[in-house]
Every structure is written in C-alpha cells, then in structure tokens.
Amino acid sequence: MALDTDPLSAKLLAWFGLNRRGLPWREERTPYRVWISEIMLQQTRVDTVIAYYQKWLKAFPTIADLAAAAEQDVLKLWEGLGYYSRARSLHRAARIIVRDYGGELPSDPDALAKLPGIGPYTVGSISAIAFGNPVPAIDGNVRRVYSRLFDLSAPLRSKTSEAELKRISERFLTDPNVSAAPGDFLEALMDLGATICAPAAPRCPICPLRDDCLAAARGTVRERPVVEKKAPTPTLTVTAAVIADGNGRLLLTRRPKNGLLGGLWEFPGGKVEAGESLEDCIRREIREELGVDFSPRRPFGVYRHAYTHFKIILHAFVGTIPANVEAEPLSADALAWAEPSELNAYPMGKVDRAIARNWLDEKTLPLIGLPNPAE
C-alpha cells in the first residue's frame, strides 16, 4: 500500500484548527493534566470524564498532592468511573514520580512505560500531547479512522491489523506536518473519530478526508473496521446482605486491593452456586466472609450491572446476625459499621452505592433485636 501522508495530515490538521473540541484538559495544558485525562478517558465517554477531571484537579492539583493522598480518598473521587485499578495505579505512580523524578512526570517514553497503569497507547499519547515527542499512539478512534481511511480488512486486534496500524502510524510520524505537532495530529485523529468517523453513524459527507478515504470510495465504510464476533457475555446471579445494628449502623466490608473493585467497600455477599437458592447463598456467603450466621428477613431489591467481561443480577436481602457473635473480615481487607450519614464517605461500586442510596431513601428504622457491636 502506497502511503502519501502529506496531503492527509495537512487536511486533517487544518480541519482540527477550525473544529477542535473545547475540552478542559486542553486548557492550561501540563504533563500532569494530560496524564490524568488520558487515564480517565480510557474506556470512558468524554462527557462523563469532564466532571470527574475537574473535581480531581480541585482535590489533587499537583502530582505531589495526589501522592500524599490516602488511597481511600483517591478511590472515593474516582467512584463511578469504573476500572478502579486505574485510580490505584495513578496513586502508586504519583508516589514513584515524587520519589524518583522530583514530582515531575518524566518525558522519556521508556521511563513513562515503567510507571504503573501506563501502557503503550498512554506512553504514546502523553509523549505526543504533553511533550511533543513523535511516538505512536493507537486507541479505538485511531484504529477506526485508519481502518476506514486505508480500507483495512484484517480483524481488529489481530496480529495483521496491529502490524498494519503500527506501520501507518510510524509512517505518519515521519511526515513533517505531524512531526512538527504530533500532539495536535493525535488529538485531530481522536476528534475526527469521535465526531465524524463515528462507529455506527459516520458522517462521511462532511469528513475532511472523504476524498482520500478508500473505504468511502469502495463502499465499505460500514464494514470497517472488521470486528470479530465475541462470545456471549455470561450473566452471574449474586446476593448481598444489608445488616444493621441496634443503632442503625450498616455493616460494610472492604474488597481486597487486588482484583475487581479492589479497595472499595461493599455489602457482603457473593455468587450463587449451582442448585443453591438465593437465601441459601447469602447464608453461606456470610458464614464464609464474616464467620457468623445470617438470617434473611426480606428482599431489598434486584440490581443489574454490566462489567467488561460479565454481567450480574444481584439480589439484596435485609437480615440479622446473632447479637452474641462478633463478625470478622475473614475474606475481606476490613470490616466497618457505618452510620447512615457516613455512607457517602465510603468509596463503593455502582451496585453497592445504589443499595446504600435506597437504604437512605427508604429511611428504614433500626431493626429491633439486632446486635450492637459497640456494646
């Protein structure tokens, strides 16, 4: 495939100069702000990220502020963005940067790649946007734009596709238009993919590259990029226990740091096993997690949520534990009895936050006869 990049890059950069999106991380640009925005934007819509980004910078205006923060405060500020390992990685990386780089994000791509949570794409995007270094950066928007522009028939994420995309990216980086402003070129590709070359409804008639697009010329735009069908997403049935003491405090457990929703607080429970009823499941889970017997009294809603590789249907139950036995965090990092007014201070995933909100909305009175661990 012959690739004359100069006219393409000139057209795209001219379009970007007139149509660039006004995003907060493009104002008062610093390496730290670029880094935070790039991590937040991974697998998350721009419209969602804006409010989180602004709150984050208000709480942690510098890398040193982030490094000095408690992990629970970092997770709480991230609550709702999902993929919580990103927040934990940001926190760990900030402490490394303060310790090893004087609190300044390193400009060397090899140094960036060694920091927690910074993969090949993020190395490239930070290098290009924050430091003006011509380093390849290929995300979903870039993959889609290039797949259509050059009518790539290899399935996305295949070795052939990745090799072609890398070759195209590296060829563009040798273009004088791009090497002079690699950050602008990368952001132009992102904006084009987000606003014009969209996944389901591309706006080809107003695309600045429509006359150069091979997929448009060949009528294959809606067939590009080629995406292989995925296996059906499994759905798990799980349970959770809402346990209040005699003073109305709720029992929460903190998930281990490694793994899904690591470091977040939740209402204890777990997955239903084959042949097990919902009530039997929650009894077994509480015995395994807390070392006490749980008596479900009434259902407290059904909650649905989709994660990256699976979905859940969660059945919550309000119930009691014996007054003469102390619950222990046998499979969790910690256990806490939280006042209803304190629930918002505990970082939670979306489902557990929904349970907490429903509890507060219901204004449930303390259940008579439940244990008070303080006594």
Side-chain angles (χ1 to χ4, degrees):
M1 174 183 62
L3 182 57
D4 187 4
T5 62
D6 188 84
L8 296 175
S9 61
K11 290 179 183 179
L12 184 58
L13 287 167
W15 171 84
F16 182 62
L18 297 173
N19 298 278
R20 65 191 302 157
R21 291 178 290 176
L23 301 172
W25 42 89
R26 292 178 178 174
E27 305 165 3
E28 194 184 341
R29 179 171 289 166
T30 67
Y32 173 56
R33 289 168 180 248
V34 171
W35 173 38
I36 297 303
S37 68
E38 286 300 315
I39 298 298
M40 285 188 171
L41 287 165
Q42 292 173 12
Q43 298 171 293
T44 309
R45 292 176 58 87
V46 168
D47 291 346
T48 300
V49 166
I50 289 173
Y52 281 93
Y53 174 82
Q54 292 168 333
K55 291 178 182 178
W56 182 279
L57 286 183
K58 185 175 180 180
F60 312 126
T62 68
I63 293 177
D65 293 317
L66 175 57
E71 184 183 83
Q72 288 289 290
D73 293 335
V74 173
L75 289 172
K76 177 59 187 173
L77 209 59
W78 196 271
E79 184 179 309
L81 268 180
Y83 303 96
Y84 291 90
S85 62
R86 295 181 297 174
R88 297 194 302 273
S89 292
L90 276 171
H91 192 218
R92 293 199 309 274
R95 293 184 168 181
I96 293 171
I97 292 167
V98 168
R99 185 192 68 200
D100 297 344
Y101 299 99
E104 298 292 334
L105 196 68
S107 60
D108 177 53
D110 291 335
L112 284 173
K114 295 177 182 177
L115 294 172
I118 298 185
Y121 164 74
T122 316
V123 169
S125 62
I126 293 173
S127 296
I129 298 170
F131 299 110
N133 295 326
V135 179
I138 304 173
D139 74 341
N141 282 315
V142 174
R143 284 185 170 88
R144 185 168 61 258
V145 170
Y146 283 166
S147 292
R148 288 171 172 166
L149 190 58
F150 300 104
D151 196 30
L152 304 182
S153 59
L156 279 187
R157 307 288 181 174
S158 66
K159 289 184 178 180
T160 300
S161 174
E162 290 299 293
E164 289 179 323
L165 290 168
K166 182 180 179 182
R167 183 164 65 88
I168 292 169
S169 294
E170 290 177 343
R171 179 67 183 86
F172 267 111
L173 291 175
T174 65
D175 182 322
N177 296 321
V178 178
S179 60
D184 283 352
F185 183 73
L186 177 58
E187 289 188 320
L189 285 171
M190 293 176 180
D191 281 13
L192 187 73
T195 64
I196 303 294
C197 196
R203 304 164 68 194
C204 296
I206 62 170
C207 178
L209 304 181
R210 64 187 179 277
D211 294 335
D212 307 282
C213 179
L214 291 181
R218 297 169 181 172
T220 58
V221 170
R222 295 189 179 276
E223 300 168 20
R224 303 290 184 261
V226 176
V227 180
E228 293 184 326
K229 290 185 178 180
K230 297 181 180 179
T233 303
T235 299
L236 307 178
T237 302
V238 298
T239 60
V242 181
I243 304 168
D245 70 10
N247 292 325
R249 296 181 301 178
L250 293 175
L251 190 155
L252 303 175
T253 55
R254 189 170 65 199
R255 296 177 66 91
K257 291 185 178 181
N258 295 325
L260 182 69
L261 304 179
L264 299 186
W265 293 84
E266 67 178 1
F267 295 91
K271 184 173 66 173
V272 176
E273 295 182 350
E276 192 174 44
S277 70
L278 296 173
E279 290 81 0
D280 286 344
C281 171
I282 194 58
R283 291 189 188 100
R284 173 184 54 77
E285 287 288 343
I286 298 306
R287 280 197 303 271
E288 293 174 356
E289 292 186 29
L290 304 176
V292 297
D293 291 327
F294 174 72
S295 300
R297 295 285 185 86
R298 63 183 173 94
F300 195 68
V302 179
Y303 304 81
R304 290 173 169 81
H305 187 60
Y307 296 96
T308 304
H309 300 298
F310 64 95
K311 300 176 182 178
I312 66 165
I313 301 174
L314 183 145
H315 298 260
F317 291 90
V318 174
T320 63
I321 59 177
N324 59 347
V325 180
E326 185 175 350
E328 299 180 11
L330 301 180
S331 59
D333 273 0
L335 177 152
W337 290 90
E339 298 281 356
S341 61
E342 299 172 337
L343 288 175
N344 282 336
Y346 288 82
M348 298 179 180
K350 288 187 176 180
V351 171
D352 292 281
R353 180 57 64 200
I355 295 173
R357 286 173 179 158
N358 288 346
W359 181 266
L360 294 175
D361 290 343
E362 192 183 64
K363 296 184 172 62
T364 305
L365 295 175
L367 297 177
I368 297 175
L370 297 188
N372 181 355
E375 296 178 351

